Amino acid sequence: MNNVSMDQLISLCKRRGFIFPGSEIYGGLANAWDFGPLGVALKNNIKRSWWQTFVEERDDMYGLDAALLMNRKVWQASGHESTFSDPLIECKNCHERFREDQLPPEKKCPSCGKQEFTQPQQFNLMLKTFLGPAEEDANIVYFRPETAQAMFVDFKQIVDTYSPKLPFGIAQIGKAFRNEITPGNFIFRTREFEQMEIEYFIKPGDDWNVYFEQWLAAMKAWMKKIGIDQNKTHDLEVPKEELAHYSKRTIDIEFDFPFGRKELYGLAYRGDFDLTNHKQEYFNEETKERVVPHVIEPSFGVERSVLAVLASAYQEDEIEGEKRTWLNLPMRIAPYRAAVFPLLSNKPELIEKAQEVRKELQGAWPGFFPIAFDKSGNIGKRYRRQDEIGTPYCFTVDFQTLQDNTITVRDRNTMKQERIVIAEARKFLEEKLRE
Ligand code: GAP
């Protein structure tokens, strides 16, 4: 098991352009983070893998991409306007504000150490804005605090158009906003983040425990696929008194982040709470009955996935007295599937051949098979650069390539090299991708 610190992760992310502070040239904006070229590639690969697994590879799922801004009545019906709040307290000495439920056990102010606070006030977490030019109550809208509600609100649309049989699900990936009192720990808790959520609708009389367990297993299988270290994940059965207002049972899948064990994902049984609130029903063609389906909700945060994947993948070792930092990312989510190098940067014939190999590897869909190209510095340095961003394989074009169309392929994890013919290289990668 690797033990990475937040400083190591944050520094790697900044150094290699994965993630860095937003608005930095203007002094930044508290807890806003931007994803650079490698970060967005990693994030997109995680989202793509999720969508493939939970939507495209199943025949009981329907995809959705709803508007971020929804009618205010949605949040009144869902209970968010009245109950989606955290207890806010203020330190009477330094006037810093905190969530009461996140104070350390000794109840001391995390900023100044004093122990005197104001009475807690419920602070609603929804971010507000106004539609149109007049900033008045009638024009208030909220940025959605979760993607979930759109799937209940559009339930009728999906049922009317596709006539799905129960059980079936709706899935969505998209931004959510929460005016968190204490954001922090890099991208772990931010005010703007992305969710990947599923609302799985089941017949009211069916044993929901069965579906709950199936979804827990499906979540775990996907986590393994994207390289989340299973030794660092734990299921927390949320005690009844701490359940969210809509939930009848929740398991938080927690992860041992460098700053402690915290929630990574959630799985909730929401009963008929949501469809009842939105006055939605389902007409069962077989029994000719109108029913209100019950809901199982697997909910995933994109940024927390990125953080857990990076914390799982981060490795350091020593090669001939030099420290090597590398990311043990699965090939399916690594920003680059492979890299191609010409052995020397001043030999046009090697560069030209290496470009040809790169094209060959990318095939007809370069976007789906991104291959890095690097010709600067010595080969050892280029390997290190690719190791640090998690590229699993590096191909090198040398003088022998010009004679016999073979190239070397070097494995990130074992650092072993072998020679293969160019015509086999694409197949080599495709086989590794399937492993
Ligand atoms: N629809 C249910 C729901 O939204 P949640 O536990 O509040 O449940 C689901 O959020 C997931 O969204 C969390 O498990 C986490 O991965 C992610 N998440 C929630 N708040 C977040 C924040 N402020 N920053 C980053 N990710 C967050």
Side-chain angles (χ1 to χ4, degrees):
M1 197 150 99
N2 63 333
N3 278 318
V4 57
S5 72
M6 278 314 272
D7 285 348
Q8 285 169 315
L9 276 186
I10 294 172
S11 147
L12 170 68
C13 284
K14 169 103 172 139
R15 192 166 68 241
R16 299 310 311 272
F18 278 91
I19 306 164
F20 34 81
S23 314
E24 205 177 13
I25 63 165
Y26 290 104
L29 174 72
N31 296 98
W33 299 94
D34 291 349
F35 282 71
L38 297 178
V40 70
L42 175 63
K43 187 157 82 153
N44 282 345
N45 288 345
I46 290 174
K47 290 195 281 183
R48 190 179 294 142
S49 166
W50 188 92
W51 195 259
Q52 265 173 7
T53 304
F54 294 118
V55 181
E56 294 172 352
E57 289 173 10
R58 299 176 62 116
D59 49 20
D60 57 350
M61 294 293 298
Y62 296 82
L64 186 71
D65 185 13
L68 262 171
L69 300 173
M70 303 174 80
N71 192 312
R72 187 176 175 183
K73 288 180 188 156
V74 172
W75 308 109
Q76 289 165 342
S78 69
H80 281 81
E81 204 174 71
S82 53
T83 58
F84 192 60
S85 50
D86 280 337
L88 172 73
I89 53 168
E90 190 178 312
C91 171
K92 285 191 176 166
N93 180 51
C94 70
H95 301 290
E96 281 269 337
R97 290 170 170 189
F98 303 98
R99 258 174 72 173
E100 191 195 25
D101 56 332
Q102 284 184 349
L103 279 186
E106 67 276 12
K107 304 277 179 220
K108 279 190 184 153
C109 171
S111 281
C112 71
K114 291 269 160 36
Q115 284 174 304
E116 262 202 281
F117 297 97
T118 56
Q119 283 300 312
Q121 279 179 357
Q122 286 304 317
F123 173 75
N124 195 291
L125 297 182
M126 286 198 291
L127 267 185
K128 239 185 237 170
T129 190
F130 300 91
L131 277 194
E135 294 197 3
E136 57 199 23
D137 259 19
N139 292 341
I140 287 180
V141 288
Y142 300 107
F143 288 101
R144 64 183 179 199
E146 59 171 16
T147 56
Q149 290 306 315
M151 287 169 297
F152 305 125
V153 171
D154 290 343
F155 174 82
K156 181 176 173 356
Q157 185 69 44
I158 300 283
V159 170
D160 289 352
T161 313
Y162 302 99
S163 309
K165 291 233 171 346
L166 291 171
F168 71 92
I170 307 181
Q172 179 170 216
I173 299 179
K175 288 263 182 181
F177 296 80
R178 294 181 191 179
N179 202 1
E180 298 280 2
I181 298 169
T182 44
N185 285 323
F186 193 33
I187 54 171
F188 176 78
R189 190 185 308 284
T190 49
R191 295 191 171 112
E192 171 184 348
F193 56 98
E194 249 179 309
Q195 290 185 316
M196 305 181 283
E197 292 197 295
I198 293 163
E199 306 305 329
Y200 197 71
F201 301 97
I202 62 174
K203 281 186 197 159
D206 279 1
D207 183 1
W208 59 269
N209 284 294
V210 172
Y211 295 107
F212 195 91
E213 294 304 327
Q214 279 172 3
W215 275 108
L216 189 59
M219 292 174 85
K220 297 274 175 67
W222 180 74
M223 288 160 66
K224 188 166 172 218
K225 218 163 143 182
I226 62 164
I228 291 181
D229 185 345
Q230 289 173 302
N231 295 317
K232 291 185 172 183
T233 60
H234 312 270
D235 294 350
L236 173 80
E237 182 81 47
V238 177
K240 286 260 175 303
E241 60 281 6
E242 287 175 29
L243 288 175
H245 61 281
Y246 51 75
S247 175
K248 293 204 157 69
R249 183 186 176 195
T250 295
I251 283 185
D252 282 350
I253 301 181
E254 296 190 314
F255 183 80
D256 293 326
F257 290 101
F259 48 85
R261 188 174 291 180
K262 297 275 179 212
E263 177 185 338
L264 171 60
Y265 304 138
L267 174 64
Y269 169 50
R270 302 177 67 119
D272 62 2
F273 178 84
D274 306 281
L275 292 181
T276 302
N277 282 345
H278 293 297
K279 300 189 175 61
Q280 299 298 300
E281 285 178 334
Y282 175 91
F283 182 67
N284 188 332
E285 292 287 349
E286 285 157 23
T287 60
K288 304 287 174 215
E289 270 178 329
R290 294 201 166 275
V291 295
V292 181
H294 287 206
V295 171
I296 308 281
E297 180 193 62
S299 181
F300 305 68
V302 174
E303 287 78 1
R304 288 188 194 179
S305 305
V306 171
L307 196 52
V309 160
L310 287 175
S312 302
Y314 190 94
Q315 308 284 334
E316 280 182 359
D317 50 20
E318 220 181 79
I319 310 301
E320 289 157 12
E322 257 189 58
K323 193 180 88 178
R324 176 175 85 125
T325 302
W326 58 288
L327 293 181
N328 188 10
L329 293 175
M331 195 178 176
R332 63 170 60 81
I333 61 157
Y336 294 109
R337 306 265 196 244
V340 177
F341 311 145
L343 181 65
L344 300 170
S345 58
N346 58 356
K347 296 283 174 215
E349 63 275 33
L350 291 185
I351 294 173
E352 199 182 313
K353 187 73 183 170
Q355 285 288 18
E356 254 177 51
V357 173
R358 183 197 197 192
K359 275 214 184 89
E360 165 91 20
L361 291 179
Q362 285 182 331
W365 298 283
F368 287 104
F369 236 82
I371 307 287
F373 187 85
D374 190 356
K375 61 183 173 62
S376 57
N378 69 44
I379 281 285
K381 288 224 170 70
R382 291 186 234 166
Y383 284 147
R384 294 290 174 280
R385 280 203 291 268
Q386 295 301 325
D387 289 345
E388 206 182 33
I389 62 171
T391 308
Y393 298 99
C394 294
F395 296 98
T396 301
V397 167
D398 54 19
F399 291 106
Q400 193 182 328
T401 313
L402 304 179
Q403 308 297 321
D404 64 5
N405 270 320
T406 61
I407 43 178
T408 62
V409 50
R410 183 255 194 192
D411 180 307
R412 174 195 66 200
N413 294 18
T414 62
M415 290 181 287
K416 293 226 167 73
Q417 296 187 32
E418 56 175 311
R419 252 197 126 79
I420 60 171
V421 290
I422 294 173
E424 294 289 310
R426 167 96 191 186
K427 209 169 101 211
F428 171 90
L429 286 184
E430 282 171 353
E431 272 167 17
K432 297 285 180 191
L433 191 57
R434 272 194 291 273
E435 275 174 11

